Structure formats: structure tokens, C-alpha cells
């Protein structure tokens, strides 16, 4: 994404974390659409092909690939790129994904992309298999996971970025023609960065579960890297932009690094069932902050909602009192989005003006998973599965209807009757802010298009020359307004961090509920002493 996006995100983060839900703008209960509008929307939704949308959502990752493309590559207009990335540093950083419409590999959001993709497969692998998309989804996970394995050549070393955002954004060129510096930014004990290291640990732990039954050796290797990266992240705690200052203009970490540490520990516990990770979560509960405040957002930066959902599952399985607050916060997340979340007149959850759909897809994924966890809870969980938001009782059916409404909105059931997934339906954005899609394909024009040679294509009013199939873009504003222009990167730029959680959402919507798992014995207990009785949490601090 283009620079300065992180400054806008700060405002939203402050609202999402600092304000109690009662202080947030409320959706008017009186603002219900006319019955005729509701019927029309229902009819439009009934015509949506969610399986097609899922296939295209996964296909988008092929179009964002860096490196030597495999024979199985299906895109007709992409070519090899980034082949020498990392060569000067003695590591192969050629793979991975370009994050958005530029040609930089930003490790922080890229790691979240891999985590979200892997989570989609972990939760909805059966649906993906039934829909014929399990291989494509695993391939997408592996392409990203392999990059992080290579980017982690030593226990306390992680290459967290390839390319310079400022110089890259001064050019409009194809990834196959990149002429800007391909600097590989290294994090180590002297220059640490907790957020990318912890998120990479989460990504590889989640990915190890994707391949546990199909490639056991690879799965074990991913877990080894995940353990080492987590140790690196917590042993040398430091905000990563202190070590890579240039990243702050693009992917600044406003939520800090404790959410990534909690998220990574939760994934490592789930992947390994080793008590030490649960011990870490419980021992450092206050420092990590996952039970201290309610959040309304889930994203590449703020992982608290995701961690709360993962740990809610652990609580529901055996009602460990030390994890009960995570379930409570997960329920608060439901209240803050499904019940109290601000929506546009057309029904889209609205959290920020810049690339709002990246939050909609991630929030929808977390909500989908939580609803399934609640439905699968054992009888011993009792009333723990109930959600009460003030006077409103929220059921898992309510949650799924909300998620489906967001899904339908993205796919074209909105006031514009426009699909915000490129290449899906007859009407979708034509001038996506994306270098490769807007320039002549390397397959048709092998002549070098230099740094400044591409700007006429950027400025052109004509549609993009190549269809960025499956890309979900930033989307409309709070009034459902949208401007399809290439310079409108706030609304027209795609991102892997938008698509990755949407894979899980679409798999669940298209494939239906998970198959009930067989009852198993409880996981290994923690080695810690029994926790003291829980105290009521303090209310979130009010914004000054």
C-alpha cells in the first residue's frame, strides 16, 4: 500500500482500543432498510456463486508471487521477478508475496497474510477439499511459509523486508522490471524487531498444522523455525520500526508488539500442545494485554481479537479459569462488531476510510471461527457459550448472518451493485491501483518499462490492461461512495492481507459448517500452580 496509510490507522486504533463500546458511534436500530430493499438484496445474494469467489480469492495469490514461477502457475500475464532478492546477503529471498499494488515485500503484513491463510486451512480444510480448493490453498500457504523459512537463516536473525518503500513508490514499473534497490532489511540481536518475528512465528506454527498430515517433515521444520522465532521475539523485545525506520511510513505497529507475542504463543500452544506456551500466556497475562481491554478490530497490526478467539477455544474445551477472560473479551468483540459496529447505509461494517475491507474480511474470519467454536463447545461449557450485549442476546446464527451480509456486500450486494472482488461478476473495478495489472504484460511486451516509463499508464483513464482476478480492494467509504480511479489508492488498492482471511470466510460460507470432531482426551495440563480466583476486569480507559 501507499505511504501514510498507517497515520490514518492510528485514529482507528485509538478508537478501537481506548474507547469503551458505549462511547463508540452506535448503529441506529431504526435505520432498517425497506422491506422491498431487503427482498432485492436477498435475491441478489441468492445468485452469488461463493465457490467461484473462493477459487478466485485464492488465485489472487498467484498474481502476487515473487520468485521463479512454477509450471503450475495459472496466470497468463505474470513472469518471474525478484530472482536476486537476498543474494547480496547470502540468502534466497526470491519467493514470498508483494503486499499490495507495489513491489515491496513487507515482512510484517506478509507474515500476517501467511497466518491468516493457514488459519483458513486449519479451520476449513474440509470445506476447501470438498470445494476442490485444498491444493491451491496449501500451495498459497507454502509459497509464503517457504519465504519465511529462508528469511530465518539463524535462530536470532530474520530478514523482515525486501525493497525500499519510498524508492519503490517513486516508480511505476512491473515487478519483472524492478530497478529500485532491493535492500534486504535484517533483524538480529543488535537490531531486533518483535512484531515481525512473533508474527512469523505465528505464521509458521499455523502453517505446520496445514502440512501435519501431508508433509510431516516439512511440518516439523516449520515448527522448529516457529519456536526459534518466538524465542527471538520475546528475548529481544523492541518495536521493529526502531530497527527498520523506513517501514513506519507504510506498516507502522501502533498496537505495539505484545499482541503479536500473545498471538504467536497461542498458535504455538495449539500447534504443539506444549504447556510452556500456555504457561507463558498465563504468567504474562497482564503484560501481554489480551484480557485488559476489548477491541473492535482485527488486522495485520492488531492481533488481540484473533488471540482472544483462539484462547476462547481453549477455555471452552475444559473451562480453565485462567483463560475465562479471553472468552469474555471474544464476546466483547462480537458485541463491538455485530451489535454496535458502525455500518454504512448499504450494510458494510465501517472501521476506517482507508482500505476498510481489510478490516471487514479479518473481522469476519475471526467471527466465523468463534461462532463455530461456540457451537462445538462441550456440554460442560454450559452457559459460557451465551453472548449478551446489553439487552441484546446474540446467537451464533446472528453472527453468521452478519458475516454473510459482509461477504455479500463485498461480492456485489451493495448500493453500487459493484463487486469489490476483481474479476467476479459482470461489474467490478477496472482501474485497480496495481503496477503489474496496469502495465503491459511481460508476456506480450518484453521491452523494459523503466521507473518513469510507466507513469503514463498510471495516469491513463482506460481500464487496466490485465485483470487482477480475485483481488479484493480497499472498498467504499462510510456512505458507500466509491471512485474507480487508479490514483485512489485508499479505495482501489488490493492487498494480500485483505484476501487471506477472506479465504476462510468464503470457505465457510460456501462449504457449510465443520464436521463435528471426535471427542478426545484433554490436552496436557499446564505445569503452573492453580490460578487465583478471577477478578472483574477494569473498564477500558476513556480517551482523553
Amino acid at each position: 500500500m501507499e505511504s501514510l496509510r498507517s497515520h490514518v490507522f492510528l485514529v482507528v486504533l485509538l478508537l478501537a482500543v481506548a474507547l469503551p463500546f458505549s462511547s463508540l458511534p452506535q448503529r441506529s436500530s431504526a435505520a432498517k432498510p425497506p422491506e422491498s430493499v431487503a427482498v432485492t438484496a436477498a435475491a441478489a445474494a441468492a445468485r452469488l456463486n461463493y465457490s467461484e469467489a473462493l477459487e478466485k480469492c485464492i488465485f489472487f495469490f498467484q498474481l502476487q508471487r515473487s520468485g521463479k514461477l512454477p509450471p503450475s502457475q495459472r496466470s497468463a500475464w505474470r513472469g518471474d521477478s525478484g530472482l536476486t532478492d537476498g543474494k547480496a546477503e547470502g540468502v534466497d529471498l526470491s519467493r514470498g508475496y508483494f503486499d499490495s499494488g507495489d513491489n515491496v515485500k513487507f515482512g510484517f503484513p506478509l507474515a500476517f497474510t501467511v497466518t491468516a491463510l493457514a488459519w483458513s486451512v486449519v479451520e476449513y480444510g474440509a470445506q476447501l477439499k470438498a470445494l476442490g480448493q485444498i491444493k491451491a490453498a496449501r500451495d498459497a500457504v507454502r509459497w509464503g511459509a517457504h519465504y519465511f523459512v529462508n528469511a530465518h537463516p539463524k535462530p536470532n536473525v530474520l530478514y523482515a523486508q525486501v525493497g525500499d518503500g519510498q524508492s519503490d513508490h517513486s516508480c511505476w514499473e512491473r515487478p519483472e522490471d524492478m530497478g529500485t534497490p532491493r535492500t534486504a532489511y535484517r533483524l538480529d540481536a543488535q537490531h531486533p524487531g518483535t512484531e515481525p518475528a512473533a508474527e512469523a512465528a505465528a505464521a509458521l506454527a499455523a502453517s505446520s498444522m496445514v502440512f501435519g498430515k501431508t508433509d510431516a517433515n516439512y511440518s516439523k521444520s516449520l515448527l522448529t523455525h516457529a519456536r526459534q522465532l518466538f524465542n527471538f521475539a520475546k528475548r529481544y523485545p523492541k518495536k521493529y520500526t526502531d530497527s527498520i525506520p523506513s517501514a513506519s511510513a507504510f506498516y507502522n505497529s501502533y498496537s505495539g508488539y505484545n499482541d503479536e507475542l500473545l498471538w504467536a504463543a497461542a498458535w504455538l500452544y495449539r500447534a504443539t500442545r506444549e504447556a510452556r506456551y500456555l504457561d507463558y500466556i498465563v504468567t504474562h497475562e497482564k503484560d501481554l494485554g489480551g484480557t485488559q481491554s476489548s477491541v473492535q478490530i482485527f488486522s495485520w497490526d492488531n492481533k488481540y481479537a484473533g488471540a482472544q478467539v483462539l484462547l476462547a477455544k481453549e477455555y471452552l474445551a475444559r473451562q480453565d479459569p485462567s483463560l475465562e477472560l479471553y472468552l469474555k473479551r471474544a464476546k466483547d468483540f462480537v458485541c463491538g462488531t455485530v451489535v454496535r459496529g458502525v455500518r454504512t447505509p448499504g450494510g458494510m461494517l465501517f472501521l476506517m476510510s482507508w482500505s476498510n475491507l481489510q478490516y471487514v474480511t479479518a473481522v469476519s474470519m475471526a467471527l466465523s471461527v468463534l461462532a463455530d467454536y461456540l457451537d462445538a463447545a462441550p456440554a460442560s461449557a454450559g452457559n459460557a457459550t451465551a453472548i449478551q450485549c446489553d439487552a441484546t442476546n446474540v446467537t451464533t446464527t446472528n453472527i453468521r448472518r452478519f458475516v454473510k451480509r459482509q461477504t455479500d456486500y463485498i461480492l456485489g450486494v451493495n448500493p453500487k451493485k459493484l463487486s469489490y472482488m476483481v474479476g467476479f461478476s459482470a461489474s467490478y473495478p477496472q482501474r485497480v491501483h496495481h503496477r503489474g495489472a496496469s502495465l503491459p504484460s511481460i508476456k506480450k511486451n518484453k521491452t523494459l518499462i523503466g521507473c518513469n516509463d510507466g507513469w503514463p499508464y498510471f495516469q491513463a483513464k482506460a481500464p487496466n490492461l490485465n485483470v487482477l482476478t480475485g483481488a479484493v480492494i480497499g472498498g467504499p467509504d462510510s456512505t458507500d461512495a466509491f471512485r474507480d480511479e487508479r490514483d485512489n489508492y485508499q479505495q482501489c488498492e488490493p492487498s494480500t492481507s485483505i484476501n487471506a482471511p477472506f479465504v476462510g470466510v468464503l470457505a465457510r460460507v460456501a462449504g457449510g459448517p465443520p464436521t463435528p470432531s471426535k471427542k478426545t482426551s484433554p490436552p496436557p495440563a499446564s505445569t503452573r500452580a492453580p490460578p487465583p480466583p478471577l477478578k472483574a476486569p477494569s473498564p477500558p480507559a476513556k480517551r482523553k
Side-chain angles (χ1 to χ4, degrees):
M1 290 186 179
E2 300 304 314
S3 60
L4 298 180
R5 88 198 94 183
S6 53
H7 296 78
V8 179
F9 179 75
L10 175 58
V11 177
V12 177
L13 179 73
L14 290 172
L15 288 172
V17 178
L19 290 178
F21 286 138
S22 59
S23 300
L24 290 169
Q26 305 293 304
R27 181 172 60 92
S28 172
S29 59
K32 296 180 180 179
E35 185 176 350
S36 60
V37 175
V39 171
T40 302
R47 293 192 293 270
L48 293 175
N49 187 332
Y50 299 111
S51 298
E52 177 192 347
L54 172 65
E55 179 181 9
K56 290 181 175 180
C57 188
I58 299 172
F59 177 75
F60 168 66
F61 290 94
Q62 289 199 17
L63 301 177
Q64 294 298 105
R65 279 174 171 171
S66 170
K68 178 70 176 177
L69 300 181
S72 59
Q73 180 82 7
R74 293 167 54 204
S75 65
W77 55 269
R78 276 299 318 278
D80 299 338
S81 61
L83 298 180
T84 61
D85 284 357
K87 185 176 181 180
E89 291 77 13
V91 289
D92 179 6
L93 302 178
S94 60
R95 286 199 189 183
Y97 296 109
F98 302 117
D99 78 303
S100 297
D102 50 33
N103 299 323
V104 183
K105 285 181 274 192
F106 291 101
F108 187 24
L110 174 52
F112 174 72
T113 291
V114 177
T115 310
L117 270 173
W119 197 11
S120 298
V121 179
V122 168
E123 299 295 346
Y124 302 121
Q127 289 90 333
L128 287 163
K129 183 177 181 180
L131 294 164
Q133 297 304 315
I134 188 63
K135 183 182 184 303
R138 285 179 180 150
D139 287 348
V141 173
R142 188 185 289 265
W143 195 269
H146 185 81
Y147 170 82
F148 282 105
V149 168
N150 285 358
H152 180 233
K154 296 179 181 179
N156 293 334
V157 172
L158 175 67
Y159 287 91
Q161 183 175 315
V162 179
D164 172 69
Q166 296 294 349
S167 61
D168 179 89
H169 286 192
S170 69
C171 298
W172 195 261
E173 58 186 351
R174 301 177 296 200
E176 296 87 355
D177 291 333
M178 290 184 293
T180 55
R182 301 300 293 171
T183 307
Y185 293 84
R186 168 179 165 140
L187 300 175
D188 53 34
Q190 289 72 44
H191 307 90
T194 300
E195 298 95 337
E199 187 60 47
L204 297 184
S207 297
S208 75
M209 298 183 68
V210 171
F211 299 103
K213 294 182 179 179
T214 59
D215 194 339
N217 289 335
Y218 184 57
S219 176
K220 290 177 182 177
S221 173
L222 294 176
L223 266 183
T224 297
H225 284 280
R227 289 187 178 98
Q228 291 178 354
L229 282 163
F230 180 67
N231 290 338
F232 174 40
K234 66 187 179 72
R235 184 177 180 182
Y236 302 99
K238 189 174 185 178
K239 187 175 180 179
Y240 91 105
T241 51
D242 290 344
S243 297
I244 310 177
S246 63
S248 63
F250 301 92
Y251 288 99
N252 197 23
S253 175
Y254 287 110
S255 66
Y257 51 69
N258 285 319
D259 55 320
E260 276 79 34
L261 287 171
L262 177 63
W263 175 240
W267 270 112
L268 277 161
Y269 179 62
R270 183 166 180 183
T272 67
R273 311 312 290 174
E274 294 174 6
R276 57 176 165 160
Y277 296 112
L278 186 57
D279 290 342
Y280 174 82
I281 291 167
V282 173
T283 302
H284 298 278
E285 176 190 318
K286 290 186 178 180
D287 294 334
L288 295 174
T291 62
Q292 306 307 305
S293 61
S294 303
V295 294
Q296 195 186 27
I297 205 165
F298 179 45
S299 71
W300 56 264
D301 180 18
N302 194 319
K303 314 298 166 33
Y304 279 125
Q308 289 161 356
V309 168
L310 286 181
L311 294 172
K313 175 184 174 68
E314 301 298 339
Y315 172 77
L316 291 167
R318 59 186 188 283
Q319 298 87 61
D320 182 342
S322 65
L323 298 177
E324 187 173 9
L325 271 179
Y326 289 104
L327 175 61
K328 184 180 187 308
R329 293 309 179 205
K331 292 180 181 181
D332 288 344
F333 176 63
V334 173
C335 295
T337 52
V338 176
V339 177
R340 304 184 189 120
V342 176
R343 301 186 211 179
T344 66
M348 176 183 66
L349 177 67
F350 187 77
L351 292 165
M352 70 176 294
S353 58
W354 197 321
S355 192
N356 183 63
L357 289 183
Q358 67 179 309
Y359 306 103
V360 174
T361 61
V363 164
S364 296
M365 174 62 180
L367 288 173
S368 293
V369 172
L370 178 61
D372 288 333
Y373 289 169
L374 292 170
D375 281 347
S380 59
N383 291 332
T385 59
I387 302 177
Q388 193 72 29
C389 306
D390 298 328
T392 304
N393 177 51
V394 181
T395 67
T396 54
T397 298
N398 297 142
I399 296 173
R400 291 194 185 93
R401 284 174 180 165
F402 175 84
V403 170
K404 186 175 182 297
R405 179 69 191 94
Q406 301 309 303
T407 303
D408 293 345
Y409 186 103
I410 292 171
L411 297 180
V413 185
N414 55 58
K416 292 286 187 183
K417 296 181 173 56
L418 183 72
S419 169
Y420 292 105
M421 174 183 281
V422 177
F424 182 82
S425 84
S427 181
Y428 56 84
Q430 301 293 311
R431 300 164 190 83
V432 176
H433 182 93
H434 189 277
R435 286 157 175 79
S438 66
L439 292 162
S441 168
I442 190 73
K443 301 293 183 65
K444 295 182 178 180
N445 182 354
K446 297 186 182 300
T447 303
L448 174 71
I449 300 176
C451 172
N452 293 318
D453 297 334
W455 287 113
Y457 293 94
F458 170 81
Q459 296 161 354
K461 297 300 181 181
N464 284 354
L465 296 174
N466 308 298
V467 179
L468 196 66
T469 303
V472 180
I473 60 172
D477 65 14
S478 61
T479 67
D480 300 303
F482 175 77
R483 181 171 62 88
D484 183 13
E485 298 295 343
R486 207 167 287 113
D487 63 355
N488 182 16
Y489 45 81
Q490 293 95 334
Q491 294 186 323
C492 285
E493 190 169 15
S495 174
T496 58
S497 59
I498 304 178
N499 273 60
F502 203 40
V503 170
V505 174
L506 287 168
R508 179 61 174 84
V509 171
T515 303
S517 60
K518 296 180 180 179
K519 299 295 182 182
T520 58
S521 57
S526 170
T527 56
R528 65 188 183 280
L534 286 175
K535 297 180 180 179
S538 301
K542 292 186 178 180
R543 186 184 178 204
K544 297 180 179 179

